[in-house]
Amino acid sequence: MLQRLHPWNTRFRSWLWWVVIVGILAALPVVYDRVQTENTSKKVETVFDYRHLLDVAALQPNPEAFVQEWLGKLKEAGVESMAMYESTLSEFKSSRRILLYNANDVSLLTGQPVSLNENYTYLLFTNKANETALSPIIRNTFTSLGYTVNYWTHNGMDGLKIETSPDDALMKPMPQDPITMQMLHDRGFQIVPRLTDALPYNQQATEETLAKFHDLGVKRIIFEGESVKGYNDNAETGSLTDFANRLTKYDIGIATIENLKKPQKGIEKLSYLIDYNVVRLYSLSEKDSSLSPATISDRFALATKDRNIRMLYLNTQANKDVTKAQLTNTLPNLVNSLQKPGNALKAIEDNGFTLGQAEPFQVHHSSLQHYLKLVVVLGAVAFIALLISYFIPVLISPAFIIGLIGAAGLYKLKPALLEQGLALGVAISAPTIAMILVIRKTQQLRESHGDLSGSKRIMSTLIQYVKTAIISFMAVPFMIALLNNITYSLVLNQFRGVSLLHLAPIGLIALYVFLYCGESVMKELRRWLSMPITVIMVVGVAIAGAAGYYYLTRTGNEGQVSSIEMVFRSTLENVIGVRPRFKEFMLAHPLFLVGMFVGLRYAWGRFLFIIAVMGQLSMVDTFAHIHSPIIISSIRGLLGLGLGLVIGLIAILVWQIVERCWKKWSPLLVE
């Protein structure tokens, strides 16, 4: 029965390959749309945390002069924007706009006994300008929350009495300090407000706040805390939609912060409601602000070039230098990072960007893209069915038909799950199929041509190296087309299954090498199961497990990298311009070449392909990072292949020398 099905399966497999090719052709216009989208946002904005500047200034003998001095230095260094948090009474006190008292303080000031039933908050404005600007803000904030606010005065100074405890009052956020915002605007800085969702959503207050932002030229806001403004009240009042409409009215976008432990709640919905007027932000932490200027510069250049970052957020901190018995801060280090010796801004401009207010991507979406994606889905299902056929040939037709039915169902119910599932399936299938074909070819050449000469082995190895890379890269157009959505580029949505992508091809190739390279799967299975377990096997399994664990710790955004490799990566980035994947050109690709070369003479050479498949899946995985530009990912893969070829040829040369020496001297050792 199976023999009668074999010709049909072979013909059907050929048809499926043609379906895959048609799917690739249909994906190319979608790929072009994404390239056009990626070229629409080329401005990079540098933002400094103004609150941190105040914190450092508070430790200086002349705080105001310190602030003004460093505002000038930061402006000269290329900082264009200042981030301003919502104000608090504590911040107004730190900036010396108010004097803050509790009931005990007032008792001492007035000489009156402390009331046992009163624990209120008292404040005095330090001058008339501060009272004019801040009194309405403070009064409106607390009265809207249900607190009683009364006029209070002492020694000719005007102030307010808020009928709540100081501890409670200090927690309440208020709009940004208008005096500071105007000062920064007059100094030539763009304002980037930071908003919270701590208080109940108030339409009128939000309208007034955004109108003021618009008058000051605000183009983008950043959220502070675990949710965006309007999220907590959205279920009851539709506040998220109202906030989005007001943002759109004033042409104000938002920024998403890279590498948060959890995405801010409501960020995805709000981004959709404002038509993705969103940019990605990289925040240099207080701790990292003390890194060397060269390191900070590399981080900024990589973030903008490789990860679609368009806002660079700088934090600073004060430090106690015990050895010098003095207070220090990282402000000079940040300036040196942006200009000489770090030259971060110059490096960013050299990469084709300009400095200015960050702009969102303008999405290019051709009218035919919807129909082209349907063809891409068809090709992706065919690709996955092909993978199944190399392990269970008889399932090739059922796999394709069931795949089409499942795809149709998911297209109606959960299209996002369909796109991600097919993208993952194709990403696994392409490198696995490519490696299976090279294993078969190696076995065929070894068995049919016997002992090939060294030159023929090298030529065959090079041909298969190119062919295998081409088949692996066939997954790329599918992945780009299936995941061509601005939400992936902005990392509002992420490609799932990265760990599976890194493990599945290795496991499948190991299965193929151990069971599919003999007379039959059952005979090979019985042979391996009947083999006695030795200490060497146990040690080998332990080593393989440790290596697998280490391999997994290096995958994804949380991957761990040694300091030596970080230096090596930085060197490659500076010399070549784009850093290829270390494991590709230093390990996997050279092992592929050696495995093929050795496998043409010795059957055990096929075991090297189990590790070599890492290079193929890594090339595909590079394109799973949708926030990386296509051109960067392509250059990275090709560079890895080129460097891997050089290192692999050197390894083959070393192998040939060792092999010839062994043939020459091994008979002498026996004697």
Side-chain angles (χ1 to χ4, degrees):
M1 177 67 176
L2 293 178
Q3 290 181 345
R4 289 198 298 270
L5 287 175
H6 180 70
W8 159 253
N9 289 334
T10 301
R11 287 196 298 271
F12 195 72
R13 180 181 292 169
S14 298
W15 296 340
L16 288 186
W17 275 113
W18 281 109
V19 175
V20 168
I21 293 172
V22 172
I24 292 173
L25 294 176
L28 294 181
V30 185
V31 174
Y32 178 71
D33 283 347
R34 183 177 146 192
V35 172
Q36 284 189 301
T37 299
E38 291 174 346
N39 288 327
T40 58
S41 175
K42 290 294 184 179
K43 287 186 178 180
V44 176
E45 183 173 355
T46 307
V47 186
F48 193 86
D49 191 301
Y50 183 74
R51 178 179 287 179
H52 285 178
L53 181 60
L54 293 180
D55 291 341
V56 174
L59 303 176
Q60 310 302 317
N62 193 331
E64 180 61 23
F66 182 88
V67 168
Q68 295 303 322
E69 176 190 357
W70 276 99
L71 283 176
K73 290 182 178 180
L74 290 169
K75 186 68 176 177
E76 290 176 5
V79 174
E80 301 158 326
S81 305
M82 285 285 160
M84 287 198 62
Y85 292 82
E86 292 175 329
S87 299
T88 62
L89 292 179
S90 177
E91 188 171 307
F92 288 148
K93 178 185 176 182
S94 296
S95 59
R96 304 191 180 189
R97 305 204 186 283
I98 64 171
L99 301 175
L100 199 60
Y101 305 100
N102 58 27
N104 290 331
D105 297 330
V106 172
S107 175
L108 293 173
L109 286 173
T110 62
Q112 300 295 322
V114 178
S115 172
L116 297 179
N117 294 317
E118 182 180 302
N119 184 25
Y120 295 156
T121 303
Y122 298 82
L123 63 91
L124 294 172
F125 297 102
T126 55
N127 58 46
K128 193 63 179 178
N130 290 336
E131 179 187 3
T132 302
L134 302 184
S135 181
I137 293 175
I138 298 173
R139 186 182 292 276
N140 291 341
T141 297
F142 284 93
T143 54
S144 68
L145 295 174
Y147 298 102
T148 300
V149 181
N150 293 313
Y151 177 75
W152 181 66
T153 184
H154 177 71
N155 278 348
M157 298 177 68
D158 294 328
L160 298 172
K161 180 177 73 172
I162 306 170
E163 294 187 5
T164 185
S165 68
D167 288 337
D168 181 51
L170 290 172
M171 295 177 61
K172 300 300 185 280
M174 291 173 277
Q176 281 75 7
D177 180 355
I179 301 173
T180 301
M181 283 200 298
Q182 188 63 53
M183 180 271 292
L184 292 174
H185 181 266
D186 293 342
R187 292 288 303 261
F189 289 100
Q190 301 295 334
I191 308 299
V192 181
R194 298 202 65 165
L195 302 182
T196 67
D197 196 33
L199 301 180
Y201 184 81
N202 185 303
Q203 292 185 4
Q204 181 180 350
T206 301
E207 173 70 20
E208 293 173 356
T209 298
L210 294 181
K212 292 177 182 177
F213 289 166
H214 180 264
D215 292 340
L216 290 170
V218 171
K219 287 296 182 182
R220 203 155 305 281
I221 61 175
I222 307 169
F223 297 107
E224 181 189 4
E226 65 177 15
S227 62
V228 304
K229 188 173 183 63
Y231 173 80
N232 291 326
D233 298 321
N234 187 58
E236 295 81 15
T237 65
S239 51
L240 206 57
T241 301
D242 180 81
F243 183 53
N245 290 337
R246 296 181 194 278
L247 286 175
T248 303
K249 173 183 176 181
Y250 290 108
D251 191 27
I252 297 176
I254 64 175
T256 62
I257 305 171
E258 183 186 53
N259 289 336
L260 291 178
K261 292 182 179 179
K262 290 183 179 179
Q264 291 171 309
K265 296 176 183 178
I267 191 78
E268 187 173 351
K269 182 175 181 179
L270 180 61
S271 299
Y272 169 76
L273 292 173
I274 62 173
D275 198 23
Y276 298 105
N277 185 0
V278 183
V279 300
R280 299 190 70 218
L281 177 148
Y282 169 72
S283 178
L284 185 75
S285 68
E286 296 95 319
K287 179 182 177 181
D288 288 346
S289 67
S290 61
L291 294 171
S292 70
T295 301
I296 294 176
S297 177
D298 286 343
R299 288 193 178 189
F300 286 171
L302 282 172
T304 53
K305 183 177 67 174
D306 285 13
R307 304 197 303 277
N308 283 339
I309 297 293
R310 295 297 178 265
M311 294 187 83
L312 301 172
Y313 194 96
L314 281 66
N315 296 282
T316 188
Q317 65 178 4
N319 300 307
K320 293 181 179 180
D321 191 335
V322 180
T323 60
K324 298 180 180 179
Q326 66 181 20
L327 291 170
T328 62
N329 60 74
T330 58
L331 285 167
N333 191 60
L334 291 173
V335 169
N336 289 335
S337 300
L338 296 176
Q339 299 297 331
K340 291 181 179 179
N343 269 336
L345 298 185
K346 182 178 184 303
I348 291 170
E349 289 180 313
D350 289 344
N351 288 332
F353 298 96
T354 58
L355 304 178
Q357 280 189 299
E359 298 174 343
F361 287 107
Q362 301 300 317
V363 179
H364 286 255
H365 195 287
S366 64
S367 58
L368 294 176
Q369 189 171 135
H370 177 74
Y371 304 101
L372 293 173
K373 276 194 172 184
L374 294 178
V375 181
V376 171
V377 167
L378 187 68
V381 173
F383 220 148
I384 297 170
L386 282 170
L387 174 63
I388 295 173
S389 75
Y390 284 103
F391 289 91
I392 311 175
V394 72
L395 292 182
I396 185 170
S397 301
F400 181 64
I401 295 171
I402 294 173
L404 289 179
I405 295 172
L410 284 176
Y411 180 76
K412 289 292 184 181
L413 300 175
K414 291 186 176 181
L417 181 60
L418 169 66
E419 293 169 350
Q420 293 213 17
L422 287 179
L424 178 61
V426 170
I428 292 172
S429 298
T432 305
I433 292 173
M435 199 59 69
I436 288 174
L437 293 177
V438 80
I439 291 171
R440 287 185 170 187
K441 188 65 175 181
T442 303
Q443 186 173 0
Q444 176 191 340
L445 291 174
R446 185 181 65 251
E447 293 175 354
S448 61
H449 292 82
D451 191 8
L452 291 170
S453 65
S455 59
K456 290 184 178 180
R457 289 161 70 190
I458 289 178
M459 184 57 65
S460 297
T461 298
L462 294 177
I463 292 173
Q464 293 305 311
Y465 185 64
V466 174
K467 178 182 175 182
T468 304
I470 291 174
I471 296 175
S472 295
F473 276 131
M474 288 174 70
V476 172
F478 286 102
M479 296 177 66
I480 295 173
L482 289 167
L483 304 177
N484 183 42
N485 191 301
I486 191 62
T487 58
Y488 292 103
S489 297
L490 297 173
V491 197
L492 297 167
N493 197 2
Q494 295 194 58
F495 175 66
R496 308 296 177 183
V498 172
S499 295
L500 185 59
L501 171 56
H502 280 271
L503 286 176
I506 298 174
L508 291 172
I509 292 303
L511 179 67
Y512 195 88
V513 166
F514 281 102
L515 299 183
Y516 284 79
C517 293
E519 293 183 28
S520 69
V521 173
M522 293 308 298
K523 284 185 178 180
E524 289 298 310
L525 181 61
R526 283 194 294 267
R527 184 171 72 86
W528 286 106
L529 291 176
S530 62
M531 189 176 294
I533 298 176
T534 64
V535 175
I536 294 178
M537 289 182 180
V538 174
V539 172
V541 171
I543 293 174
Y549 175 77
Y550 175 71
Y551 170 66
L552 284 179
T553 63
R554 293 174 53 86
T555 63
N557 293 330
E558 302 298 325
Q560 302 297 314
V561 182
S562 67
S563 58
I564 296 176
E565 186 176 337
M566 285 300 295
V567 174
F568 190 63
R569 285 182 171 191
S570 179
T571 302
L572 284 173
E573 181 73 27
N574 293 330
V575 173
I576 302 176
V578 175
R579 174 180 55 81
R581 291 287 181 88
F582 190 83
K583 61 177 173 284
E584 291 178 21
F585 72 88
M586 286 297 291
L587 176 65
H589 292 333
L591 271 181
F592 177 98
L593 293 162
V594 173
M596 178 75 186
F597 184 81
V598 172
L600 289 171
R601 179 167 291 175
Y602 307 103
W604 60 264
R606 68 180 184 272
F607 290 100
L608 296 178
F609 289 129
I610 298 174
I611 302 175
V613 72
M614 287 168 44
Q616 306 301 313
L617 69 88
S618 178
M619 292 191 306
V620 174
D621 173 65
T622 297
F623 291 87
H625 297 77
I626 311 299
H627 56 273
S628 294
I630 292 175
I631 185 64
I632 297 294
S633 298
S634 302
I635 294 173
R636 177 167 289 135
L638 294 174
L639 279 175
L641 284 169
L643 292 174
L645 175 62
V646 174
I647 296 173
L649 289 177
I650 294 173
I652 289 174
L653 178 61
V654 172
W655 171 261
Q656 282 191 297
I657 293 172
V658 172
E659 187 179 42
R660 290 178 181 178
C661 292
W662 175 257
K663 285 183 178 181
K664 181 177 180 180
W665 294 333
S666 59
L668 299 177
L669 295 175
V670 174
E671 293 176 3

